[in-house]
Amino acid sequence: MRFLLRRLAAAVAMLCAGALLVPVQASAAEAACRDLDIPVSLVAMPLLGLKDQTMYGRLCVPPGGSHTLQVLVPGGTYNSAYYDPPGLPETRSFRKAANNAGYATLAVDRVGSGRSSKPLSGLLTASAQANAVHHAIQSMRTGTLGARFDKIVLVGHSLGSATTLIEAATFHDVDGVVITGFTHRIAPLTVVPTVAALSPAALDERMSKVVGLDPGYLTTMTGTRYTAFHNPGLFVQQVVDVDEATKDLIAPGEMVDAVLIGLVLPYSRGINVPVLVAMGDKDTVFCGPVASDCSSAESLRQGEAGYYSPEARLRTFVVPGYGHSINFAPNAPLLHDAVTGWMNEMVGR
């Protein structure tokens, strides 16, 4: 009888332990998120310190916190939703993958897009966006918005990568840089559909309703997202629908100096922290016979190495079978794992 009572007590203890463990395991992947309106300026040193613009950011911190923050900068006609697309499987969420790996994230809307302020489009350049991102980084380092981080890594996509490159090379205030959807050689023959997809935002049914836009703001024409950003990757209607529903704005000036500074000048050689470059091997914007060789990580590294300093310790990664917006790829977890592995080795939590 005593033996049976001991067995029963042990079984009850195990059941109780299991009941206690279940909520902990379920919450392990849940990050605490909140919305931030970050005061920024489009100039590096605003007059009298006046930061007259606002950059929206969604800050997500994993359970237990993190000393390291990834600042996620989206590309042109994208906003912060690129890193956490609503209504899609978690495998497409860069943000959740980073949080699950123990890193905090701040996914921002570039000034002039999303929930950020909408200045005159003529004021927006990639360099101006880099200044705004710099101010956001300083806020996260000093804790002026309630959260402070010891290490910060900039993650960019496409135009956001040009902004990231300019910011890191100018201000030297980050601990690492992740460049996605951007190389130093554009594909002149296959980039045409992406450029041709742009039209005035005033002509778009949804974008025309955004308050405060001048005629210079652009977006993509309805029905062009797959050809412009995903082709020749697998066509998934749900993915294309979400991309269309969350599309955003771009100003012409952002593209001009992104090309001049990001592509023409060897500005990236000013980056003195570790760099990871990740591309889709079928990226029609930057990859091709007369552009970057994205067929393998090694060929990509060889093509890009000359644009970075030895301090960058350049690493590269290629997502097979997809085009420009690789976070929407069915095998996006390969990208997430590559970034996490690089983060763990080069920066740490």
Side-chain angles (χ1 to χ4, degrees):
M1 184 67 177
R2 188 177 299 170
F3 174 76
L4 290 176
L5 288 174
R6 283 201 300 267
R7 292 288 298 273
L8 179 60
V12 171
M14 290 179 67
L15 288 172
C16 290
L20 291 172
L21 285 173
V22 167
V24 173
Q25 291 172 340
S27 65
E30 299 296 328
C33 298
R34 61 189 178 100
D35 297 331
L36 300 177
D37 291 316
I38 309 170
V40 299
S41 174
L42 297 176
V43 297
M45 299 183 65
L47 183 65
L48 301 178
L50 178 63
K51 297 176 181 176
D52 58 339
Q53 304 294 329
T54 299
M55 175 172 279
Y56 166 82
R58 184 156 179 81
L59 175 66
C60 294
V61 181
S66 176
H67 295 289
T68 304
L69 174 71
Q70 296 183 18
V71 177
L72 314 179
V73 186
T77 74
Y78 280 99
N79 55 39
S80 53
Y82 173 77
Y83 292 101
D84 192 11
L88 291 184
E90 289 191 3
T91 54
R92 263 79 167 192
S93 177
F94 187 102
R95 190 274 295 173
K96 289 181 180 178
N99 294 157
N100 290 344
Y103 294 101
T105 56
L106 177 70
V108 303
D109 292 342
R110 297 176 352 274
V111 176
S113 69
R115 283 176 272 186
S116 294
S117 55
K118 309 292 189 300
L120 293 173
S121 60
L123 298 176
L124 295 176
T125 65
S127 298
Q129 296 285 8
N131 292 332
V133 171
H134 168 64
H135 297 309
I137 289 171
Q138 295 309 301
S139 293
M140 305 315 293
R141 281 204 182 276
T142 59
T144 56
L145 298 175
R148 190 185 72 80
F149 298 91
D150 298 325
K151 292 181 285 188
I152 293 180
V153 171
L154 262 179
V155 180
H157 174 253
S158 193
L159 178 62
S161 285
T163 294
T164 290
L165 182 156
I166 295 169
E167 199 285 337
T170 301
F171 297 106
H172 305 287
D173 58 353
V174 296
D175 301 277
V177 172
V178 177
I179 301 292
T180 71
F182 184 91
T183 72
H184 286 82
R185 297 179 65 188
I186 204 162
L189 301 179
T190 54
V191 72
V192 173
T194 300
V195 177
L198 295 174
S199 71
L203 301 179
D204 185 84
E205 181 179 1
R206 182 166 60 87
M207 291 291 115
S208 63
K209 298 175 183 177
V210 178
V211 177
L213 299 186
D214 62 61
Y217 278 99
L218 306 174
T219 191
T220 52
M221 291 182 287
T222 301
T224 61
R225 299 298 286 189
Y226 173 76
T227 301
F229 300 117
H230 306 272
N231 185 54
L234 179 68
F235 181 91
V236 179
Q237 189 65 57
Q238 182 187 19
V239 168
V240 176
D241 289 345
V242 168
D243 195 8
E244 180 70 40
T246 58
K247 73 178 182 182
D248 218 289
L249 302 163
I250 188 173
E254 295 182 86
M255 295 181 283
V256 172
D257 73 334
V259 172
L260 292 177
I261 297 177
L263 299 180
V264 177
L265 300 178
Y267 203 75
S268 51
R269 288 192 62 82
I271 300 176
N272 59 357
V273 293
V275 175
L276 172 68
V277 175
M279 299 293 295
D281 70 342
K282 307 297 184 185
D283 190 318
T284 56
V285 180
F286 291 98
C287 304
V290 293
S292 295
D293 184 351
C294 304
S295 60
S296 69
E298 179 54 27
S299 63
L300 177 61
R301 190 197 65 79
Q302 290 180 11
E304 287 292 291
Y307 296 101
Y308 292 94
S309 68
E311 290 80 10
R313 292 182 282 170
L314 181 65
R315 299 283 184 86
T316 51
F317 183 78
V318 169
V319 177
Y322 212 75
H324 187 60
S325 295
I326 50 179
N327 201 51
F328 286 95
N331 52 356
L334 295 176
L335 168 68
H336 305 160
D337 290 346
V339 174
T340 294
W342 177 86
M343 289 281 302
N344 293 343
E345 179 184 354
M346 295 296 187
V347 182
R349 297 184 185 88

